[in-house]
Amino acid sequence: MLLTLTTTHEPATDLGYLLHKHPARCQSFTLPFGQAHVYYPEASATRCTAALVLDVDPVGLVRDARGATIRQYVNDRPYVASSLLSVALARVYGSALNGRCKDRPELAQTAIPLHARLAALPCAAGEDRLRRLFEPLGYAVTATQHPMDPVFPAWGASPYFTVELTHTICLDQLLSHLYVLMPVLDGAKHYWVGEEEVEKLLRQGEGWLADHPERDYITQRYLKYRKALARAALSRLTTPDEAQDAEAQDAEEAAVERPLSLHDQRLDAVLEVLVQTGATSVLDLGCGEGRLLHRLWSAPQFTRIVGVDVSHRALERAQARLRLDRQPEAQRRRVELHHGSLVYRDRRLTGFDAAALVEVVEHLDPPRLAAFARSVFGEARPRTVVLTTPNREYNARFETLPAGQLRHRDHRFEWTRAEFEAWAHQVAEAYGYTVDIRPVGPEDPALGAPTQMGVFDRRPASPNTP
Ligand code: SAH
C-alpha cells in the first residue's frame, strides 16, 4: 500500500521538517502487522514528495491460525488503504498528525499546497460517497475506479479507487482527515472497537467533524455501527446543550431588538430584494427556524427554495414551522432542507438564482470567513447574494444592551459600517461581484441603521473568459 504526500510550498523540502523525516534517508518502522517505509522519490526546492509504503504481512494478521480459512490469508488487506494505514500514519507521522513541528512550528500551523495520493482505497459505496466525504473539507478530488480484472472487462468495476486529494491546508488537518476517513470508507476494522475509539475519533475529528455534513455517517461507520458508542460520540459532537442554548440566546437578541421588530423589517427587506431580482430558485443559507423560508414559500415566484443550516435542531423547527408534512405534494416539492455547513464546499448549493444570508456571517469564527466566502461566492456562485449583519455602532442606541456587549451571545463579532463595507468590497472584488450596501431599520444620523444589508450581484462573465 502506497500513500504519497506532495507539496509545492517553497522550499518544498520543508516537508521533511513537517514529517520529521529527512528527505535524504529511507527509514523503516516495525508495526504489529508488518513494516512501514518512508522515503522521498523527489525532493527539490520547488516540489517534494514523501512516500509511505506499508508492507502488511497477511500471515501476521491472523491471530489464531487454528481453523483459519484461506480468506484470512488471501485478501486485499496488504494492498489497500484501511485502518491499518491509519495506525501506520499515527505511528510513523505521529508528530505531524498532532500538529507538532520542532523546527518549523509556524509552518505546521500554515495552510500549504498539499497533494495526497492513495494508490488503492476501497469504497464499495461508490465515488459519490467518496466525494461527499472529502469535498466538504475543501479537497479537489480525483478518483479513478479500477476494473475487477483488466483482462476480463465483463467482470465489471472493482470497489477500489486510486484517489488524489488536492488542497491548501495544514498538514495535520490533512493527516487527521485521512486517519478518520480511510477506515470509514473501507468499512472493515482490524481491531476491537471500544470506548477508546470514540476518544480517537473525537480527537482526530476536532475542528472539522462536528459540522461536517456527513458527520453522522462518519461517526457510525468509524465506530462500526456500534450504536451506543456512536450515540456517545455524537452527543459530544453537538456541543453540550447547544440547541437549548441557541434558543435562549435567540430570545435574548429578539428582546434587545424588539422595540424595532427589527427581525421582521430585515426579513421584509431581504424578501423584497429577492422578489425584485426575478429569482425563481433561492437558497436560504443559515436558515435557522425558517422564518424567511416561510415568507419565500408564500411567494409563488419561488419554485425552488432550499434552506441550509448546520444545526439539526434549527432544521427540525423550520420543518415544523412550514408544516411540510401537511402540504400537498406539489407545494412540498418546492422546499428542501439540508443539513450542511457554509464553510465547506457543497455541490448541492450550485445552480441557484439567489441566496440569502440573514444574520449568519457574524456567527462564524473570523478565521473561517475566507472559507465561507469561497464556498458561497466562489463555489455556489448564485447570481444574487443578499446578506444582512448587525451594525455594531448602532448598539449604543439599544437601551437594554450594556455598553460594549454584542447583541447575541453566539455572535463572534459585529462589524461597524466601515468594517462591513471593507469586507463586502473585498469579497465582491475577489469573486467577480458588485455590491451595494443598504441600511435596514431606522437610521440614526450619527450611528447609521441597526442592520446593514449587502446586495451582491454577479458580474457577467467577460467575453474573454473561457
Ligand atoms: N437566518 C435565520 C437564522 C439566523 S441565526 C434568521 O434570520 O432567522 C444564525 C444561523 O446560522 C443559526 O441557525 C446557525 O445554526 C446557523 N449557522 C451558524 N454557522 C453556520 C455554518 N457554518 N453553516 C450553516 N449554518 C450556520
Side-chain angles (χ1 to χ4, degrees), residues 211 246 250 253 263 266-267 284-292 308-312 314-315 339-344 356-365 368 372 388 408 410-412:
D211 54 3
D250 286 350
E253 182 180 35
H263 201 51
R266 239 172 350 233
L267 295 172
D284 183 3
L285 302 175
C287 62
E289 301 173 10
R291 292 204 176 88
L292 180 65
V308 178
D309 206 284
V310 76
S311 155
H312 280 292
L315 291 172
H339 179 234
S341 171
L342 304 173
V343 295
Y344 297 125
L357 289 139
V358 180
E359 308 293 287
V360 175
V361 67
E362 64 277 7
H363 290 264
L364 303 173
D365 283 325
R368 314 300 288 272
F372 159 78
T388 72
H408 188 291
D410 186 50
H411 285 181
R412 308 303 157 92

mmCIF file of all heavy atoms in Angstrom, residues 211 246 250 253 263 266-267 284-292 308-312 314-315 339-344 356-365 368 372 388 408 410-412, ligand 1:
data_model
loop_
_atom_site.group_PDB
_atom_site.id
_atom_site.type_symbol
_atom_site.label_atom_id
_atom_site.label_comp_id
_atom_site.label_asym_id
_atom_site.label_seq_id
_atom_site.Cartn_x
_atom_site.Cartn_y
_atom_site.Cartn_z
ATOM 1 N N ASP A 211 -19.160 19.835 12.304
ATOM 2 C CA ASP A 211 -20.063 20.431 11.312
ATOM 3 C C ASP A 211 -19.832 19.885 9.902
ATOM 4 O O ASP A 211 -20.156 20.532 8.923
ATOM 5 C CB ASP A 211 -20.066 21.967 11.380
ATOM 6 C CG ASP A 211 -18.683 22.545 11.265
ATOM 7 O OD1 ASP A 211 -17.739 21.762 11.083
ATOM 8 O OD2 ASP A 211 -18.546 23.779 11.341
ATOM 9 N N ALA A 246 -29.056 27.832 22.114
ATOM 10 C CA ALA A 246 -29.315 28.657 20.941
ATOM 11 C C ALA A 246 -30.683 29.324 21.064
ATOM 12 O O ALA A 246 -30.841 30.502 20.780
ATOM 13 C CB ALA A 246 -29.244 27.809 19.681
ATOM 14 N N ASP A 250 -31.313 33.288 21.130
ATOM 15 C CA ASP A 250 -32.134 33.963 20.125
ATOM 16 C C ASP A 250 -33.171 34.845 20.818
ATOM 17 O O ASP A 250 -33.453 35.958 20.382
ATOM 18 C CB ASP A 250 -32.870 32.931 19.255
ATOM 19 C CG ASP A 250 -31.912 32.248 18.287
ATOM 20 O OD1 ASP A 250 -30.760 32.713 18.174
ATOM 21 O OD2 ASP A 250 -32.319 31.256 17.649
ATOM 22 N N GLU A 253 -31.632 38.059 21.954
ATOM 23 C CA GLU A 253 -31.400 39.009 20.863
ATOM 24 C C GLU A 253 -32.716 39.661 20.454
ATOM 25 O O GLU A 253 -32.799 40.862 20.249
ATOM 26 C CB GLU A 253 -30.772 38.293 19.666
ATOM 27 C CG GLU A 253 -30.457 39.240 18.525
ATOM 28 C CD GLU A 253 -29.833 38.522 17.323
ATOM 29 O OE1 GLU A 253 -30.218 37.368 17.066
ATOM 30 O OE2 GLU A 253 -28.978 39.126 16.665
ATOM 31 N N HIS A 263 -36.318 42.138 13.333
ATOM 32 C CA HIS A 263 -36.183 40.912 12.550
ATOM 33 C C HIS A 263 -37.181 40.898 11.392
ATOM 34 O O HIS A 263 -36.852 40.522 10.281
ATOM 35 C CB HIS A 263 -36.338 39.684 13.448
ATOM 36 C CG HIS A 263 -35.716 38.464 12.839
ATOM 37 N ND1 HIS A 263 -34.433 38.450 12.355
ATOM 38 C CD2 HIS A 263 -36.204 37.231 12.595
ATOM 39 C CE1 HIS A 263 -34.155 37.261 11.850
ATOM 40 N NE2 HIS A 263 -35.213 36.494 11.981
ATOM 41 N N ARG A 266 -36.034 43.206 8.665
ATOM 42 C CA ARG A 266 -34.933 42.619 7.917
ATOM 43 C C ARG A 266 -35.440 41.603 6.893
ATOM 44 O O ARG A 266 -35.062 41.611 5.731
ATOM 45 C CB ARG A 266 -34.063 41.843 8.907
ATOM 46 C CG ARG A 266 -32.685 42.316 8.939
ATOM 47 C CD ARG A 266 -31.829 41.746 10.003
ATOM 48 N NE ARG A 266 -32.343 40.967 11.068
ATOM 49 C CZ ARG A 266 -32.108 41.218 12.361
ATOM 50 N NH1 ARG A 266 -31.389 42.252 12.725
ATOM 51 N NH2 ARG A 266 -32.579 40.435 13.288
ATOM 52 N N LEU A 267 -36.314 40.725 7.384
ATOM 53 C CA LEU A 267 -36.817 39.674 6.501
ATOM 54 C C LEU A 267 -37.606 40.290 5.348
ATOM 55 O O LEU A 267 -37.491 39.855 4.200
ATOM 56 C CB LEU A 267 -37.676 38.685 7.292
ATOM 57 C CG LEU A 267 -36.899 37.885 8.349
ATOM 58 C CD1 LEU A 267 -37.848 37.072 9.220
ATOM 59 C CD2 LEU A 267 -35.880 36.955 7.692
ATOM 60 N N ASP A 284 -31.623 29.708 1.244
ATOM 61 C CA ASP A 284 -31.595 30.458 2.499
ATOM 62 C C ASP A 284 -30.508 29.798 3.344
ATOM 63 O O ASP A 284 -30.716 28.729 3.919
ATOM 64 C CB ASP A 284 -32.964 30.394 3.178
ATOM 65 C CG ASP A 284 -32.990 31.240 4.456
ATOM 66 O OD1 ASP A 284 -31.968 31.900 4.749
ATOM 67 O OD2 ASP A 284 -34.028 31.224 5.146
ATOM 68 N N LEU A 285 -29.341 30.419 3.366
ATOM 69 C CA LEU A 285 -28.169 29.793 3.985
ATOM 70 C C LEU A 285 -28.079 30.222 5.449
ATOM 71 O O LEU A 285 -28.040 31.413 5.746
ATOM 72 C CB LEU A 285 -26.906 30.209 3.222
ATOM 73 C CG LEU A 285 -26.928 29.850 1.725
ATOM 74 C CD1 LEU A 285 -25.697 30.394 1.011
ATOM 75 C CD2 LEU A 285 -27.037 28.336 1.536
ATOM 76 N N GLY A 286 -28.055 29.258 6.348
ATOM 77 C CA GLY A 286 -28.164 29.568 7.775
ATOM 78 C C GLY A 286 -29.618 29.944 8.037
ATOM 79 O O GLY A 286 -29.921 30.979 8.610
ATOM 80 N N CYS A 287 -30.524 29.070 7.587
ATOM 81 C CA CYS A 287 -31.961 29.419 7.569
ATOM 82 C C CYS A 287 -32.570 29.445 8.960
ATOM 83 O O CYS A 287 -33.659 29.965 9.158
ATOM 84 C CB CYS A 287 -32.719 28.445 6.686
ATOM 85 S SG CYS A 287 -32.640 26.727 7.273
ATOM 86 N N GLY A 288 -31.862 28.877 9.962
ATOM 87 C CA GLY A 288 -32.395 28.875 11.318
ATOM 88 C C GLY A 288 -33.751 28.190 11.361
ATOM 89 O O GLY A 288 -33.963 27.145 10.718
ATOM 90 N N GLU A 289 -34.684 28.807 12.086
ATOM 91 C CA GLU A 289 -36.005 28.177 12.249
ATOM 92 C C GLU A 289 -36.931 28.381 11.064
ATOM 93 O O GLU A 289 -38.096 28.025 11.128
ATOM 94 C CB GLU A 289 -36.688 28.753 13.468
ATOM 95 C CG GLU A 289 -35.926 28.560 14.710
ATOM 96 C CD GLU A 289 -36.592 29.300 15.850
ATOM 97 O OE1 GLU A 289 -37.736 29.785 15.688
ATOM 98 O OE2 GLU A 289 -35.960 29.403 16.890
ATOM 99 N N GLY A 290 -36.414 29.026 10.028
ATOM 100 C CA GLY A 290 -37.182 29.065 8.786
ATOM 101 C C GLY A 290 -38.151 30.226 8.640
ATOM 102 O O GLY A 290 -39.125 30.126 7.903
ATOM 103 N N ARG A 291 -37.852 31.350 9.299
ATOM 104 C CA ARG A 291 -38.781 32.490 9.160
ATOM 105 C C ARG A 291 -38.779 33.028 7.731
ATOM 106 O O ARG A 291 -39.812 33.341 7.171
ATOM 107 C CB ARG A 291 -38.400 33.604 10.123
ATOM 108 C CG ARG A 291 -38.613 33.241 11.558
ATOM 109 C CD ARG A 291 -38.791 34.498 12.395
ATOM 110 N NE ARG A 291 -39.095 34.125 13.759
ATOM 111 C CZ ARG A 291 -38.161 33.901 14.674
ATOM 112 N NH1 ARG A 291 -36.893 34.028 14.374
ATOM 113 N NH2 ARG A 291 -38.504 33.563 15.897
ATOM 114 N N LEU A 292 -37.577 33.126 7.156
ATOM 115 C CA LEU A 292 -37.516 33.608 5.773
ATOM 116 C C LEU A 292 -38.077 32.548 4.820
ATOM 117 O O LEU A 292 -38.791 32.876 3.878
ATOM 118 C CB LEU A 292 -36.070 33.967 5.387
ATOM 119 C CG LEU A 292 -35.918 34.476 3.951
ATOM 120 C CD1 LEU A 292 -36.652 35.808 3.765
ATOM 121 C CD2 LEU A 292 -34.447 34.647 3.574
ATOM 122 N N VAL A 308 -30.586 25.792 4.353
ATOM 123 C CA VAL A 308 -29.415 25.043 4.825
ATOM 124 C C VAL A 308 -29.057 25.559 6.208
ATOM 125 O O VAL A 308 -29.038 26.770 6.440
ATOM 126 C CB VAL A 308 -28.191 25.279 3.893
ATOM 127 C CG1 VAL A 308 -26.967 24.547 4.410
ATOM 128 C CG2 VAL A 308 -28.508 24.853 2.473
ATOM 129 N N ASP A 309 -28.786 24.639 7.107
ATOM 130 C CA ASP A 309 -28.298 25.075 8.414
ATOM 131 C C ASP A 309 -27.409 23.993 9.000
ATOM 132 O O ASP A 309 -27.563 22.805 8.684
ATOM 133 C CB ASP A 309 -29.453 25.385 9.373
ATOM 134 C CG ASP A 309 -29.028 26.392 10.442
ATOM 135 O OD1 ASP A 309 -28.300 25.993 11.384
ATOM 136 O OD2 ASP A 309 -29.384 27.576 10.329
ATOM 137 N N VAL A 310 -26.515 24.421 9.863
ATOM 138 C CA VAL A 310 -25.599 23.468 10.482
ATOM 139 C C VAL A 310 -26.251 22.819 11.706
ATOM 140 O O VAL A 310 -25.782 21.809 12.201
ATOM 141 C CB VAL A 310 -24.279 24.191 10.846
ATOM 142 C CG1 VAL A 310 -24.457 25.047 12.097
ATOM 143 C CG2 VAL A 310 -23.123 23.234 11.003
ATOM 144 N N SER A 311 -27.345 23.396 12.168
ATOM 145 C CA SER A 311 -27.991 22.884 13.377
ATOM 146 C C SER A 311 -29.193 21.996 13.011
ATOM 147 O O SER A 311 -30.141 22.456 12.373
ATOM 148 C CB SER A 311 -28.437 24.071 14.234
ATOM 149 O OG SER A 311 -29.508 23.716 15.050
ATOM 150 N N HIS A 312 -29.117 20.721 13.458
ATOM 151 C CA HIS A 312 -30.242 19.810 13.219
ATOM 152 C C HIS A 312 -31.510 20.344 13.861
ATOM 153 O O HIS A 312 -32.592 20.274 13.323
ATOM 154 C CB HIS A 312 -29.952 18.448 13.862
ATOM 155 C CG HIS A 312 -29.046 17.587 13.045
ATOM 156 N ND1 HIS A 312 -29.424 17.060 11.845
ATOM 157 C CD2 HIS A 312 -27.779 17.159 13.262
ATOM 158 C CE1 HIS A 312 -28.443 16.342 11.350
ATOM 159 N NE2 HIS A 312 -27.422 16.389 12.189
ATOM 160 N N ALA A 314 -32.386 23.396 14.523
ATOM 161 C CA ALA A 314 -32.998 24.506 13.782
ATOM 162 C C ALA A 314 -33.787 23.961 12.591
ATOM 163 O O ALA A 314 -34.901 24.410 12.314
ATOM 164 C CB ALA A 314 -31.913 25.478 13.310
ATOM 165 N N LEU A 315 -33.225 22.956 11.919
ATOM 166 C CA LEU A 315 -33.913 22.409 10.747
ATOM 167 C C LEU A 315 -35.222 21.728 11.145
ATOM 168 O O LEU A 315 -36.226 21.834 10.447
ATOM 169 C CB LEU A 315 -33.005 21.421 10.007
ATOM 170 C CG LEU A 315 -31.804 22.059 9.304
ATOM 171 C CD1 LEU A 315 -30.872 20.988 8.763
ATOM 172 C CD2 LEU A 315 -32.253 22.975 8.164
ATOM 173 N N HIS A 339 -28.972 19.678 5.819
ATOM 174 C CA HIS A 339 -28.013 19.897 6.893
ATOM 175 C C HIS A 339 -26.658 20.122 6.243
ATOM 176 O O HIS A 339 -26.223 19.330 5.417
ATOM 177 C CB HIS A 339 -27.974 18.652 7.784
ATOM 178 C CG HIS A 339 -27.010 18.776 8.897
ATOM 179 N ND1 HIS A 339 -26.023 17.857 9.130
ATOM 180 C CD2 HIS A 339 -26.857 19.746 9.822
ATOM 181 C CE1 HIS A 339 -25.313 18.250 10.166
ATOM 182 N NE2 HIS A 339 -25.800 19.382 10.604
ATOM 183 N N GLY A 340 -25.988 21.200 6.589
ATOM 184 C CA GLY A 340 -24.683 21.444 5.976
ATOM 185 C C GLY A 340 -24.031 22.657 6.595
ATOM 186 O O GLY A 340 -24.684 23.435 7.289
ATOM 187 N N SER A 341 -22.742 22.758 6.344
ATOM 188 C CA SER A 341 -22.026 23.905 6.884
ATOM 189 C C SER A 341 -21.525 24.782 5.754
ATOM 190 O O SER A 341 -21.023 24.289 4.750
ATOM 191 C CB SER A 341 -20.843 23.438 7.714
ATOM 192 O OG SER A 341 -20.057 24.567 8.033
ATOM 193 N N LEU A 342 -21.641 26.095 5.960
ATOM 194 C CA LEU A 342 -21.301 27.033 4.886
ATOM 195 C C LEU A 342 -19.811 27.250 4.736
ATOM 196 O O LEU A 342 -19.384 27.965 3.851
ATOM 197 C CB LEU A 342 -21.966 28.375 5.173
ATOM 198 C CG LEU A 342 -23.466 28.259 5.337
ATOM 199 C CD1 LEU A 342 -24.052 29.571 5.791
ATOM 200 C CD2 LEU A 342 -24.071 27.820 4.014
ATOM 201 N N VAL A 343 -19.028 26.668 5.607
ATOM 202 C CA VAL A 343 -17.592 26.876 5.443
ATOM 203 C C VAL A 343 -16.979 25.746 4.621
ATOM 204 O O VAL A 343 -15.775 25.715 4.417
ATOM 205 C CB VAL A 343 -16.851 27.045 6.791
ATOM 206 C CG1 VAL A 343 -17.303 28.300 7.482
ATOM 207 C CG2 VAL A 343 -17.055 25.849 7.682
ATOM 208 N N TYR A 344 -17.819 24.840 4.146
ATOM 209 C CA TYR A 344 -17.309 23.758 3.312
ATOM 210 C C TYR A 344 -17.961 23.798 1.934
ATOM 211 O O TYR A 344 -19.119 24.157 1.796
ATOM 212 C CB TYR A 344 -17.613 22.394 3.950
ATOM 213 C CG TYR A 344 -16.936 22.215 5.271
ATOM 214 C CD1 TYR A 344 -17.657 21.885 6.400
ATOM 215 C CD2 TYR A 344 -15.565 22.396 5.380
ATOM 216 C CE1 TYR A 344 -17.029 21.713 7.624
ATOM 217 C CE2 TYR A 344 -14.927 22.237 6.592
ATOM 218 C CZ TYR A 344 -15.656 21.896 7.704
ATOM 219 O OH TYR A 344 -15.030 21.733 8.899
ATOM 220 N N ALA A 356 -29.847 33.984 0.253
ATOM 221 C CA ALA A 356 -29.999 34.928 1.361
ATOM 222 C C ALA A 356 -29.169 34.427 2.535
ATOM 223 O O ALA A 356 -29.099 33.218 2.784
ATOM 224 C CB ALA A 356 -31.469 35.011 1.765
ATOM 225 N N LEU A 357 -28.545 35.360 3.226
ATOM 226 C CA LEU A 357 -27.800 35.028 4.453
ATOM 227 C C LEU A 357 -28.200 36.055 5.494
ATOM 228 O O LEU A 357 -27.615 37.136 5.569
ATOM 229 C CB LEU A 357 -26.301 35.115 4.186
ATOM 230 C CG LEU A 357 -25.755 33.999 3.299
ATOM 231 C CD1 LEU A 357 -24.755 34.535 2.305
ATOM 232 C CD2 LEU A 357 -25.108 32.931 4.171
ATOM 233 N N VAL A 358 -29.245 35.750 6.232
ATOM 234 C CA VAL A 358 -29.787 36.740 7.157
ATOM 235 C C VAL A 358 -29.193 36.502 8.542
ATOM 236 O O VAL A 358 -29.475 35.470 9.163
ATOM 237 C CB VAL A 358 -31.332 36.653 7.199
ATOM 238 C CG1 VAL A 358 -31.898 37.685 8.163
ATOM 239 C CG2 VAL A 358 -31.897 36.854 5.807
ATOM 240 N N GLU A 359 -28.364 37.432 8.994
ATOM 241 C CA GLU A 359 -27.768 37.367 10.333
ATOM 242 C C GLU A 359 -27.033 36.039 10.566
ATOM 243 O O GLU A 359 -27.266 35.370 11.572
ATOM 244 C CB GLU A 359 -28.854 37.575 11.400
ATOM 245 C CG GLU A 359 -29.699 38.803 11.190
ATOM 246 C CD GLU A 359 -28.947 40.124 11.357
ATOM 247 O OE1 GLU A 359 -28.619 40.500 12.485
ATOM 248 O OE2 GLU A 359 -28.693 40.758 10.329
ATOM 249 N N VAL A 360 -26.185 35.693 9.632
ATOM 250 C CA VAL A 360 -25.442 34.445 9.750
ATOM 251 C C VAL A 360 -23.939 34.695 9.873
ATOM 252 O O VAL A 360 -23.265 34.094 10.710
ATOM 253 C CB VAL A 360 -25.710 33.535 8.527
ATOM 254 C CG1 VAL A 360 -24.838 32.292 8.576
ATOM 255 C CG2 VAL A 360 -27.179 33.122 8.485
ATOM 256 N N VAL A 361 -23.436 35.622 9.073
ATOM 257 C CA VAL A 361 -21.980 35.757 8.966
ATOM 258 C C VAL A 361 -21.340 36.047 10.330
ATOM 259 O O VAL A 361 -20.260 35.539 10.640
ATOM 260 C CB VAL A 361 -21.620 36.825 7.893
ATOM 261 C CG1 VAL A 361 -22.036 38.214 8.299
ATOM 262 C CG2 VAL A 361 -20.146 36.792 7.564
ATOM 263 N N GLU A 362 -22.047 36.780 11.183
ATOM 264 C CA GLU A 362 -21.455 37.138 12.489
ATOM 265 C C GLU A 362 -21.406 35.947 13.456
ATOM 266 O O GLU A 362 -20.844 36.050 14.540
ATOM 267 C CB GLU A 362 -22.215 38.328 13.110
ATOM 268 C CG GLU A 362 -23.678 38.067 13.463
ATOM 269 C CD GLU A 362 -24.622 38.228 12.269
ATOM 270 O OE1 GLU A 362 -24.142 38.414 11.136
ATOM 271 O OE2 GLU A 362 -25.855 38.152 12.487
ATOM 272 N N HIS A 363 -21.992 34.812 13.029
ATOM 273 C CA HIS A 363 -21.899 33.596 13.848
ATOM 274 C C HIS A 363 -20.667 32.764 13.496
ATOM 275 O O HIS A 363 -20.454 31.700 14.069
ATOM 276 C CB HIS A 363 -23.145 32.717 13.661
ATOM 277 C CG HIS A 363 -24.384 33.315 14.262
ATOM 278 N ND1 HIS A 363 -24.830 32.986 15.525
ATOM 279 C CD2 HIS A 363 -25.244 34.251 13.790
ATOM 280 C CE1 HIS A 363 -25.934 33.674 15.787
ATOM 281 N NE2 HIS A 363 -26.206 34.451 14.754
ATOM 282 N N LEU A 364 -19.913 33.200 12.501
ATOM 283 C CA LEU A 364 -18.749 32.409 12.069
ATOM 284 C C LEU A 364 -17.484 32.952 12.709
ATOM 285 O O LEU A 364 -17.326 34.170 12.843
ATOM 286 C CB LEU A 364 -18.600 32.478 10.546
ATOM 287 C CG LEU A 364 -19.822 32.014 9.751
ATOM 288 C CD1 LEU A 364 -19.625 32.297 8.275
ATOM 289 C CD2 LEU A 364 -20.066 30.534 9.967
ATOM 290 N N ASP A 365 -16.586 32.043 13.055
ATOM 291 C CA ASP A 365 -15.304 32.487 13.603
ATOM 292 C C ASP A 365 -14.537 33.228 12.519
ATOM 293 O O ASP A 365 -14.458 32.744 11.389
ATOM 294 C CB ASP A 365 -14.474 31.279 14.048
ATOM 295 C CG ASP A 365 -14.983 30.744 15.368
ATOM 296 O OD1 ASP A 365 -15.429 31.559 16.199
ATOM 297 O OD2 ASP A 365 -14.956 29.518 15.551
ATOM 298 N N ARG A 368 -12.694 31.510 9.784
ATOM 299 C CA ARG A 368 -13.444 30.706 8.808
ATOM 300 C C ARG A 368 -14.089 31.571 7.719
ATOM 301 O O ARG A 368 -14.718 31.055 6.806
ATOM 302 C CB ARG A 368 -14.575 29.912 9.491
ATOM 303 C CG ARG A 368 -14.200 29.199 10.750
ATOM 304 C CD ARG A 368 -13.108 28.170 10.558
ATOM 305 N NE ARG A 368 -13.524 26.967 9.835
ATOM 306 C CZ ARG A 368 -14.048 25.896 10.414
ATOM 307 N NH1 ARG A 368 -14.264 25.873 11.699
ATOM 308 N NH2 ARG A 368 -14.358 24.835 9.689
ATOM 309 N N PHE A 372 -15.774 30.537 4.084
ATOM 310 C CA PHE A 372 -17.196 30.831 3.885
ATOM 311 C C PHE A 372 -17.388 31.604 2.566
ATOM 312 O O PHE A 372 -18.223 31.253 1.734
ATOM 313 C CB PHE A 372 -17.686 31.637 5.088
ATOM 314 C CG PHE A 372 -18.928 32.438 4.864
ATOM 315 C CD1 PHE A 372 -20.163 31.821 4.862
ATOM 316 C CD2 PHE A 372 -18.865 33.808 4.655
ATOM 317 C CE1 PHE A 372 -21.326 32.552 4.660
ATOM 318 C CE2 PHE A 372 -20.005 34.550 4.449
ATOM 319 C CZ PHE A 372 -21.240 33.920 4.446
ATOM 320 N N THR A 388 -27.326 40.059 5.429
ATOM 321 C CA THR A 388 -27.501 41.098 6.460
ATOM 322 C C THR A 388 -26.652 40.769 7.672
ATOM 323 O O THR A 388 -26.360 39.606 7.953
ATOM 324 C CB THR A 388 -28.961 41.232 6.933
ATOM 325 O OG1 THR A 388 -29.269 40.089 7.735
ATOM 326 C CG2 THR A 388 -29.946 41.350 5.798
ATOM 327 N N HIS A 408 -25.975 39.178 20.657
ATOM 328 C CA HIS A 408 -26.308 37.758 20.794
ATOM 329 C C HIS A 408 -25.052 37.080 21.292
ATOM 330 O O HIS A 408 -23.954 37.382 20.820
ATOM 331 C CB HIS A 408 -26.693 37.246 19.394
ATOM 332 C CG HIS A 408 -27.255 35.865 19.333
ATOM 333 N ND1 HIS A 408 -26.492 34.756 19.594
ATOM 334 C CD2 HIS A 408 -28.500 35.417 19.008
ATOM 335 C CE1 HIS A 408 -27.261 33.673 19.423
ATOM 336 N NE2 HIS A 408 -28.472 34.049 19.075
ATOM 337 N N ASP A 410 -23.854 34.263 20.796
ATOM 338 C CA ASP A 410 -23.101 33.445 19.836
ATOM 339 C C ASP A 410 -22.458 34.305 18.737
ATOM 340 O O ASP A 410 -21.787 33.779 17.861
ATOM 341 C CB ASP A 410 -24.024 32.389 19.213
ATOM 342 C CG ASP A 410 -23.241 31.425 18.330
ATOM 343 O OD1 ASP A 410 -22.211 30.901 18.814
ATOM 344 O OD2 ASP A 410 -23.605 31.236 17.154
ATOM 345 N N HIS A 411 -22.670 35.610 18.778
ATOM 346 C CA HIS A 411 -22.003 36.438 17.759
ATOM 347 C C HIS A 411 -20.507 36.441 18.021
ATOM 348 O O HIS A 411 -20.064 36.719 19.125
ATOM 349 C CB HIS A 411 -22.527 37.879 17.794
ATOM 350 C CG HIS A 411 -23.885 38.015 17.197
ATOM 351 N ND1 HIS A 411 -24.542 39.217 17.101
ATOM 352 C CD2 HIS A 411 -24.717 37.079 16.647
ATOM 353 C CE1 HIS A 411 -25.725 39.023 16.533
ATOM 354 N NE2 HIS A 411 -25.852 37.726 16.261
ATOM 355 N N ARG A 412 -19.752 36.095 16.966
ATOM 356 C CA ARG A 412 -18.297 36.062 17.135
ATOM 357 C C ARG A 412 -17.726 37.460 16.952
ATOM 358 O O ARG A 412 -16.599 37.741 17.333
ATOM 359 C CB ARG A 412 -17.661 35.093 16.138
ATOM 360 C CG ARG A 412 -18.287 33.710 16.152
ATOM 361 C CD ARG A 412 -18.213 33.101 17.557
ATOM 362 N NE ARG A 412 -19.218 32.077 17.764
ATOM 363 C CZ ARG A 412 -19.029 30.790 17.543
ATOM 364 N NH1 ARG A 412 -17.877 30.356 17.095
ATOM 365 N NH2 ARG A 412 -19.995 29.936 17.781
HETATM 366 N N1 SAH B 1 -31.266 33.284 9.041
HETATM 367 C C1 SAH B 1 -32.006 32.925 10.237
HETATM 368 C C2 SAH B 1 -31.153 32.471 11.411
HETATM 369 C C3 SAH B 1 -30.073 33.396 11.875
HETATM 370 S S1 SAH B 1 -29.224 32.787 13.278
HETATM 371 C C4 SAH B 1 -32.883 34.066 10.650
HETATM 372 O O1 SAH B 1 -32.649 35.188 10.224
HETATM 373 O O2 SAH B 1 -33.809 33.839 11.401
HETATM 374 C C5 SAH B 1 -27.770 32.091 12.523
HETATM 375 C C6 SAH B 1 -27.980 30.707 11.953
HETATM 376 O O3 SAH B 1 -26.794 30.347 11.258
HETATM 377 C C7 SAH B 1 -28.201 29.634 13.020
HETATM 378 O O4 SAH B 1 -29.350 28.904 12.711
HETATM 379 C C8 SAH B 1 -26.955 28.780 12.934
HETATM 380 O O5 SAH B 1 -27.211 27.405 13.215
HETATM 381 C C9 SAH B 1 -26.532 28.984 11.500
HETATM 382 N N2 SAH B 1 -25.116 28.745 11.264
HETATM 383 C C10 SAH B 1 -24.062 29.138 12.030
HETATM 384 N N3 SAH B 1 -22.903 28.714 11.487
HETATM 385 C C11 SAH B 1 -23.229 28.031 10.357
HETATM 386 C C12 SAH B 1 -22.480 27.337 9.366
HETATM 387 N N4 SAH B 1 -21.163 27.260 9.436
HETATM 388 N N5 SAH B 1 -23.149 26.750 8.360
HETATM 389 C C13 SAH B 1 -24.507 26.804 8.289
HETATM 390 N N6 SAH B 1 -25.253 27.449 9.199
HETATM 391 C C14 SAH B 1 -24.638 28.056 10.216
#
